Amino acid sequence: MHRLWVILGFLVAVGLLSAGVWSYGYRQALSQLSDKAEADLELAADRLSTQMQVYQELAVLMANHPALRTLDTPEQKRTAQALLLDVADKTAADNMIYLARNGRVLVAAHPVLRPSMAEHPAFQRAMQGAMGSAHGVQPITGNRTYSYAAPAFGPLGQVGGALMVTADVQDVEQTWRGSTEAVFFIDAEGVVFISNRSDLLFWHRADGQKGLTPPKAEAIDFASVQVGRHELWNLNWGRYLPRRALHLMLDLPVIDMTAEVLVDVAPARRLAGLQAATVAALCLAFGAFLFLATERRRTLAEANLVLESRVARRTHDLTVANAALRREVHERLEAEAALKHAQEELIQAGKLNALGQMSAGISHELNQPLMAIQQFADNGTAFLARGREGKAADNLTRISDMATRMARIIKNLRAFARNESEPMGKVDLVQVIETAIELTDARLRAEGVTMEWQPPDALVFAWGGEVRLVQVFVNLINNAADAMSQQEDRLIRIRINNGRKLAVTVRDIGPGIENTEKLFEPFYTTKAVGSSEGMGLGLSISYGLVQSFGGNIRGTNAATGAMFTVELEYYREDEVA
């Protein structure tokens, strides 16, 4: 029960706070709306006054035109009528009429129904020597017009006539009709004569009345409410007028009218409602959070007692599970270490397998220099005994060249067979390929395989490990030689493409690749079962090595034979650790 009263009190407080925020926000929004409506009303009034002033100035300028001073003959009247018609067409005036002192129409741009306008208020004012103006509705067409009459003075300063310019109010309204706010102009008789809402035309306002009444005086809904310094109208005057509107007025003595505007206050109400709803939502969210936090704390306190009783029972189970997990982690670490060791042994086995295939050729390569060294040493001894030191020196030079060649072969073999992880770094790609060719040269010459290799003119440096890259290309060359073992023509082409991407292609003219999808899978081979040429690990090892350098290797069938492409990364100085 206590919690229920607390909740009800909190909701009442939130409601009062939201109402206060709504009232304050509504008044602030009305002030901003009033400032904008006042500016719009002044703009509309200035626009109307400026447009009407054009016709006023036109009447003054044309009243004393030389063509209007003498209208005695029909020719003079036709000339004056043509002048007034031309000016009326260019200025969009409804009509231009030149009147005598008695109000008789002397000449007009367009025909007029009345031959005399002596009773026209604008003409009567012009006869007094001042600018006259009046507005009204034409009896036949029903068009609303606004007229200016300027006096025409004679040589002695007397008023000799008047020029009346009539403007169609509808043409003036076209420039600002349909704007967002409803603007209307009421004349001295309280009639709406100009408006951008045609529904309000000819409504009237009685003395002491705030609202407007339709011409037929039917019953309409209207109420005026004062909110602070703002006057609000509640009305139901059609779908093109707001139901709740801010009302402002502005006197226009220049045209003897009052400008009024009705601005929809729905945006202000929505803004105030949004502010109040935001405050209410924040308060309710905070209250809900506080309530939930309190309830959660109470629930947690109750649950804590239950949990404490369960902790003791589960502690033993967790201890046993933790011990089992430790054993499993230890076993996984051992398995991972064994897998890494097996991978290293697999790479080393691939190297030794390649060395086994090349052993006969390598023995031949080493045996030939040894026999040559022995022969050159014997010859050198004989030349020295005969006193031919030059010949002896030449033999010693050849012995040195042979020893250098053997040292290079042994160095490459020792580096190739070394079982260690070299660091990644800058690798001379040309030197790597030439080392692989040198290691396989004995076998290729023994099997009659032609090697086409033309190193590029410039040095090419790749990112990787030198020994492992040598192993990759040794495997590719040996595989190419194996693929062509059953045919007479045997050719291997090696090319370096050092364009935007660095790639090396190794191509043969063998039978091609049977299954490119399984090409790099371990233990996949197309050689006969029981063959001593390999177990299908060479390409799998090569694939893993190239991947470790951040490169890629793929095998495809060319027009004749197979082609392996090794893609590598260029060496860059910023990669140096």
Side-chain angles (χ1 to χ4, degrees), residues 264-429:
D264 191 2
V265 298
R269 296 176 64 88
R270 285 196 297 268
L271 179 60
L274 180 61
Q275 293 174 345
T278 302
V279 172
L282 291 175
C283 292
L284 291 175
F286 176 75
F289 175 77
L290 185 62
F291 176 77
L292 292 176
T294 304
E295 289 296 307
R296 180 178 178 82
R297 184 176 180 181
R298 183 179 61 83
T299 304
L300 288 176
E302 296 175 353
N304 187 48
L305 298 177
V306 179
L307 289 175
E308 288 181 354
S309 63
R310 295 178 180 177
V311 167
R313 294 196 303 268
R314 294 190 178 182
T315 300
H316 177 70
D317 297 337
L318 291 175
T319 303
V320 175
N322 187 37
L325 183 60
R326 288 176 181 272
R327 288 195 301 271
E328 184 178 352
V329 170
H330 181 70
E331 292 173 358
R332 288 181 179 271
L333 291 175
E334 290 181 348
E336 183 179 355
L339 178 60
K340 184 176 181 181
H341 179 71
Q343 290 175 341
E344 294 175 353
E345 292 294 332
L346 186 60
I347 293 174
Q348 187 64 15
K351 293 182 181 180
L352 297 179
N353 181 51
L355 286 175
Q357 294 180 9
M358 299 183 295
S359 60
I362 293 171
S363 299
H364 181 70
E365 288 293 314
L366 293 177
N367 189 46
Q368 279 187 339
L370 284 174
M371 294 177 64
I373 287 173
Q374 182 179 3
Q375 184 177 355
F376 287 135
D378 293 340
N379 291 340
T381 303
F383 285 134
L384 286 175
R386 297 175 186 176
R388 300 175 65 181
E389 289 81 358
K391 286 289 186 179
D394 183 54
N395 279 271
L396 292 175
T397 301
R398 292 185 179 182
I399 291 173
S400 177
D401 293 340
M402 293 295 177
T404 302
R405 178 182 175 187
M406 293 176 62
R408 188 175 66 252
I409 294 173
I410 294 173
K411 177 184 177 183
N412 290 336
L413 288 173
R414 184 172 56 187
F416 186 76
R418 186 180 300 135
N419 185 14
E420 60 182 26
S421 297
E422 59 181 333
M424 301 274 285
K426 181 178 180 182
V427 176
D428 186 348
L429 188 57

Side-chain angles (χ1 to χ4, degrees), residues 63-295:
N64 294 305
H65 195 279
L68 301 177
R69 292 179 180 177
T70 305
L71 300 172
D72 298 331
T73 65
E75 181 65 25
Q76 291 175 339
K77 290 184 178 181
R78 282 195 297 270
T79 301
Q81 191 270 342
L83 172 66
L84 294 180
L85 180 61
D86 181 62
V87 174
D89 291 340
K90 292 179 178 179
T91 59
D94 185 61
N95 203 355
M96 296 182 66
I97 308 169
Y98 190 75
L99 306 171
R101 283 185 54 84
N102 58 0
R104 183 171 58 88
V105 176
L106 297 179
V107 64
H110 300 287
V112 294
L113 298 177
R114 295 186 298 173
S116 175
M117 293 190 177
E119 303 299 327
H120 199 285
F123 173 75
Q124 294 177 357
R125 178 63 175 165
M127 290 298 98
Q128 298 175 5
M131 172 62 67
S133 62
H135 63 275
V137 181
Q138 292 185 359
I140 297 178
T141 62
N143 293 337
R144 290 167 290 132
T145 60
Y146 205 100
S147 303
Y148 287 100
F153 296 99
L156 302 178
Q158 76 279 12
V159 178
L163 178 66
M164 181 177 295
V165 178
T166 303
D168 191 346
V169 174
Q170 291 181 345
D171 294 338
V172 177
E173 288 177 338
Q174 292 298 328
T175 59
W176 50 279
R177 176 170 292 176
S179 59
T180 305
E181 293 79 11
V183 181
F184 52 93
F185 297 84
I186 298 179
D187 58 14
E189 286 75 24
V191 178
V192 177
F193 189 71
I194 303 174
S195 176
N196 62 350
R197 298 293 190 273
S198 59
D199 296 348
L200 292 178
L201 290 176
F202 305 117
W203 287 37
H204 62 275
R205 174 181 292 151
D207 294 337
Q209 180 182 359
K210 289 186 176 181
L212 299 176
T213 303
K216 297 181 180 180
E218 66 265 19
I220 59 172
D221 296 334
F222 174 80
S224 177
V225 180
Q226 197 73 22
V227 179
R229 61 183 180 88
H230 307 293
E231 181 184 5
L232 302 183
W233 283 9
N234 296 326
L235 42 89
N236 186 14
W237 291 355
R239 59 179 178 174
Y240 298 110
L241 293 171
R243 298 185 65 86
R244 294 185 180 88
L246 175 66
H247 176 247
L248 295 177
M249 301 176 63
L250 179 65
D251 291 332
L252 300 176
V254 175
I255 59 175
D256 194 21
M257 290 189 180
T258 301
E260 302 185 26
V261 63
L262 295 175
V263 183
D264 191 2
V265 298
R269 296 176 64 88
R270 285 196 297 268
L271 179 60
L274 180 61
Q275 293 174 345
T278 302
V279 172
L282 291 175
C283 292
L284 291 175
F286 176 75
F289 175 77
L290 185 62
F291 176 77
L292 292 176
T294 304
E295 289 296 307

Side-chain angles (χ1 to χ4, degrees), residues 531-569:
S531 174
S532 61
E533 296 179 355
M535 298 181 294
L537 295 175
L539 288 178
S540 177
I541 293 172
S542 299
Y543 182 83
L545 292 176
V546 175
Q547 289 283 331
S548 68
F549 304 148
N552 188 29
I553 181 173
R554 63 179 184 273
T556 56
N557 285 316
T560 57
M563 181 174 67
F564 286 85
T565 303
V566 179
E567 296 177 349
L568 299 170
E569 297 288 337

